[in-house]
């Protein structure tokens, strides 16, 4: 027994000595490399690894970054100094895999060589749990303004684009597109938050949205994308600034600043528009929310100084098409509009678009506990079509005239002050990029007339 104890102690001491001679490997590693070497390092990267990109100007690079991190430990690719890794020329980036975070890049003054500058898909595989943050895409345009390109295309599930600045888009095409093609893009739970979307000129045709979620063919599919805490600064590419064409999305706590356009629930059901700020400052064609289809919730939003009418109205409930195809106008049904504040907005219109084809008025509309202040109007709504199925309860009204309206109480209303530009831009976009905020270098052209688009 004594001999056995001596032998066991010898083995333990030997093991300790051997372990002391072995090199110690940390669970996560950090590397600093040039941009063209990132793909090589990602092929063997482990959860928690950090790959730093050396500062520099990189041109004409087609990047495919594929990696597999974990929910607790993403693999991180970041600029050595945010804003000093500049990617230009015909460059593009494709992200794929799981839990890959990319931070601090500046795509600047380039010409798109692909359908999108940044795409959450590579080699036919979509991204899952990936993130683009603290990055900028600025002035990425082809020479022909009719060439259609997208700045960012979200595919896959549970991806995030946050604290990015997307500016200077002049070509047709959506600035940020949520792609719903394929089962692994549905029920995606993407988050698009705390971004700055810079000014876009009036393009004059359909296809110049700032954000689009889905297409008419996917109008019955559930996306579950959340668009929150973004600033849309004079995004006037077309009437649909945010175009929702799918189900179960949430548009919340965003600010639309002097946009010649609206948040449009164009196709799809059960979407929510809540706690947003729509600030027109009396500029032409500034709008709020337009509603098509059913089951939507429009609550706790505030609208200031919006002048748009018809398809650009502060609030527009549309007349629709009987037995409509998905790509036309499905009847407005079961809509709740409550606890909103409308200050000095020129047009709240019901039955917008009524014509020989669009003949179905909205039904099941509940307009409750809203406030309307406007000394220039004598009625809360403009009835483009007669609605027989709208209920109004608990609303407050401060307008001209003395006529009473069912569901409205005339009273003195505290008018919320219009937020300042500096207050709404704070915390939006890449923190290191501020050269154009408030002072856009793009000429904004006023729209001469309403341009009705699908």
């Amino acid at each position: 027994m004594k001999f056995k104890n001596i032998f066991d102690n010898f083995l333990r001491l030997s093991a300790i000595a051997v372990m002391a001679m072995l090199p110690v490997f940390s669970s996560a590693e950090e590397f600093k490399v040039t941009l063209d070497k990132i793909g090589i390092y990602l092929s063997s990267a482990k959860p928690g690894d950090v790959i730093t990109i050396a500062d520099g100007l990189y041109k004409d690079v087609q990047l495919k970054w594929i990696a597999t991190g974990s929910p607790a430990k993403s693999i991180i690719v970041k600029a050595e100094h945010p804003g000093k890794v500049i990617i230009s020329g015909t460059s593009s980036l494709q992200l794929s895999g799981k839990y890959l975070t990319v931070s601090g890049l500046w795509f600047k003054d380039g010409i798109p060589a692909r359908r999108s500058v940044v795409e959450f898909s590579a080699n036919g595989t979509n991204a899952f749990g990936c993130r683009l943050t603290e990055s900028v895409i600025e002035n990425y345009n082809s020479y022909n303004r009719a060439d259609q390109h997208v700045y960012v295309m979200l595919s896959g599930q549970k991806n995030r684009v946050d604290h990015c600045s997307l500016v200077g888009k002049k070509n047709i095409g959506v600035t940020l597109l949520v792609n719903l093609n394929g089962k692994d893009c549905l029920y995606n739970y993407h988050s698009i938050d705390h971004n700055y979307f810079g000014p876009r000129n009036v393009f004059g045709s359909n296809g110049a949205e700032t954000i689009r979620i889905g297409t008419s063919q996917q109008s019955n599919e559930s996306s579950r994308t959340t668009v929150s805490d973004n600033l849309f600064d004079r995004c006037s590419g077309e009437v649909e600034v945010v175009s929702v064409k799918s189900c179960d999305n949430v548009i919340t706590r965003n600010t639309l600043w002097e946009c010649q356009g609206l948040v449009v629930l164009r196709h799809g059901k059960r979407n929510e528009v809540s706690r947003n700020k729509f600030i027109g400052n009396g500029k032409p064609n500034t709008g709020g929310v337009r509603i098509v289809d059913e089951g939507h919730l429009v609550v706790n939003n505030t609208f200031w100084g919006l002048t748009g009418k018809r398809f650009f109205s502060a609030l527009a409930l549309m007349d629709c098409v009987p037995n409509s195809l998905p790509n036309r106008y499905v009847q407005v049904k079961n809509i709740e509009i409550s606890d909103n504040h409308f200050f000095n907005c020129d047009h709240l219109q019901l039955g917008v678009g009524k014509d020989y084809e669009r003949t179905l008025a909205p039904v099941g509309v509940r307009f409750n506990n809203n406030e309307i202040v406007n000394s220039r109007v004598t009625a809360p709504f403009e009835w483009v079509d007669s609605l027989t199925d709208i209920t109004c309860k608990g609303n407050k009204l401060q307008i001209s005239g003395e006529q009473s309206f069912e569901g409205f109480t005339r009273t003195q209303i505290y008018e919320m002050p219009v937020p300042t530009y500096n207050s709404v831009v704070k915390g939006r976009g890449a923190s290191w990029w501020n050269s154009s905020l408030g002072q856009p270098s793009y000429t904004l052209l006023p729209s001469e007339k309403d341009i009705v688009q699908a």
Side-chain angles (χ1 to χ4, degrees):
M1 180 64 67
K2 185 176 180 180
F3 176 78
K4 183 178 185 302
N5 289 340
I6 293 172
F7 184 71
D8 288 346
N9 288 334
F10 173 77
L11 289 178
R12 280 196 293 270
L13 291 172
S14 299
I16 292 171
V18 171
M19 290 176 65
M21 292 186 292
L22 293 174
V24 177
F25 294 99
S26 62
S27 58
E29 298 183 83
E30 295 192 17
F31 309 93
K32 179 180 175 182
V33 299
T34 55
L35 188 73
D36 56 313
K37 300 293 193 302
I38 299 294
I40 299 172
Y41 279 79
L42 284 176
S43 63
S44 58
K46 304 180 299 296
D49 283 358
V50 177
I51 303 174
T52 300
I53 309 169
D55 293 346
L57 172 61
Y58 300 89
K59 297 188 69 175
D60 304 326
V61 288
Q62 306 304 313
L63 305 170
K64 289 186 179 181
W65 294 349
I66 303 171
T68 302
S70 71
K73 293 183 178 181
S74 293
I75 294 171
I76 298 173
V77 177
K78 66 176 185 176
E80 178 181 4
H81 297 96
K84 292 190 177 180
V85 173
I86 300 173
I87 304 172
S88 191
T90 57
S91 302
S92 65
L93 170 62
Q94 296 174 265
L95 306 176
S96 186
K98 297 181 178 180
Y99 305 107
L100 170 62
T101 294
V102 176
S103 177
L105 306 184
W106 191 359
F107 291 86
K108 188 175 187 294
D109 299 330
I111 301 171
R114 304 185 72 259
R115 58 181 177 175
S116 55
V117 181
V118 176
E119 183 172 351
F120 282 67
S121 180
N123 293 344
T125 303
N126 295 323
F128 185 97
C130 294
R131 180 183 181 192
L132 178 70
T133 185
E134 285 288 339
S135 297
V136 174
I137 304 177
E138 181 176 13
N139 291 328
Y140 245 73
N141 299 291
S142 58
Y143 296 113
N144 184 352
R145 71 191 293 267
D147 290 344
Q148 184 164 315
H149 299 288
V150 175
Y151 268 11
V152 178
M153 181 180 292
L154 272 170
S155 300
Q157 296 175 330
K158 295 187 177 181
N159 299 306
R160 184 182 181 194
V161 178
D162 67 285
H163 296 90
C164 292
S165 298
L166 307 180
V167 296
K169 192 171 193 314
K170 300 172 185 175
N171 291 91
I172 195 169
V174 183
T175 304
L176 191 154
L177 174 64
V178 178
N179 169 35
L180 300 183
N181 292 326
K183 291 183 178 180
D184 60 349
C185 291
L186 304 178
Y187 299 95
N188 56 63
Y189 294 95
H190 295 317
S191 181
I192 303 164
D193 62 279
H194 296 89
N195 301 292
Y196 172 81
F197 293 93
R200 289 194 71 175
N201 286 342
V202 175
F203 196 83
S205 69
N206 192 21
E209 304 97 327
T210 299
I211 291 179
R212 195 182 80 219
I213 306 172
T215 65
S216 60
Q217 290 82 7
Q218 297 152 343
S219 60
N220 290 318
E221 303 288 358
S222 182
S223 180
R224 298 189 183 274
T225 295
T226 298
V227 179
S228 64
D229 301 289
N230 302 286
L231 172 60
F232 298 88
D233 182 2
R234 290 158 281 187
C235 294
S236 303
E238 65 148 273
V239 66
E240 299 182 13
V241 177
V242 178
S243 181
V244 179
K245 297 186 174 182
S246 54
C247 302
D248 304 307
N249 301 288
V250 177
I251 315 299
T252 187
R253 299 189 307 273
N254 303 284
T255 299
L256 275 72
W257 179 273
E258 297 181 2
C259 294
Q260 295 186 38
L262 312 85
V263 171
V264 179
L265 306 181
R266 181 62 184 88
H267 303 292
K269 300 170 174 56
R270 302 179 303 278
N271 293 295
E272 175 184 325
V273 181
S274 63
R275 293 187 285 172
N276 301 285
K277 299 174 183 177
F278 298 83
I279 303 170
N281 292 326
K283 302 295 183 181
N285 292 330
T286 47
V289 180
R290 177 155 57 95
I291 300 172
V292 184
D293 218 318
E294 63 181 275
H296 304 307
L297 190 64
V298 179
V299 296
N300 287 305
N301 303 285
T302 308
F303 307 78
W304 287 274
L306 304 174
T307 66
K309 61 183 179 180
R310 298 182 69 247
F311 286 68
F312 290 81
S313 297
L315 178 67
L317 275 67
M318 290 201 64
D319 263 26
C320 294
V321 178
N323 301 313
S324 177
L325 295 173
N327 67 337
R328 295 299 295 140
Y329 292 88
V330 177
Q331 187 177 23
V332 176
K333 297 180 182 179
N334 186 27
I335 306 298
E336 180 171 343
I337 303 167
S338 62
D339 299 293
N340 300 288
H341 311 274
F342 298 90
F343 299 119
N344 301 308
C345 297
D346 289 351
H347 302 283
L348 281 66
Q349 297 189 312
L350 308 181
V352 170
K354 180 177 175 60
D355 59 15
Y356 71 93
E357 181 191 25
R358 294 183 290 243
T359 58
L360 280 179
V363 295
V365 178
R366 300 177 298 281
F367 191 88
N368 300 329
N369 304 315
N370 301 286
E371 294 182 339
I372 300 176
V373 177
N374 193 342
S375 61
R376 299 188 299 274
V377 301
T378 57
F381 305 124
E382 297 174 30
W383 301 78
V384 182
D385 195 1
S386 59
L387 272 66
T388 59
D389 192 6
I390 179 172
T391 59
C392 298
K393 296 180 180 179
N395 300 291
K396 296 180 180 180
L397 197 60
Q398 183 179 324
I399 60 175
S400 294
E402 299 180 356
Q403 183 180 353
S404 61
F405 301 91
E406 183 177 353
F408 289 84
T409 300
R410 285 182 175 269
T411 184
Q412 187 73 26
I413 299 172
Y414 170 73
E415 187 172 342
M416 299 177 190
V418 180
T420 64
Y421 183 88
N422 287 338
S423 69
V424 299
V425 77
K426 186 177 181 180
R428 304 299 181 260
S431 60
W432 53 266
W433 184 90
N434 59 13
S435 60
S436 296
L437 295 186
Q439 301 177 17
S441 58
Y442 326 110
T443 303
L444 298 179
L445 304 177
S447 176
E448 295 181 356
K449 61 181 180 178
D450 289 358
I451 301 170
V452 178
Q453 297 144 354

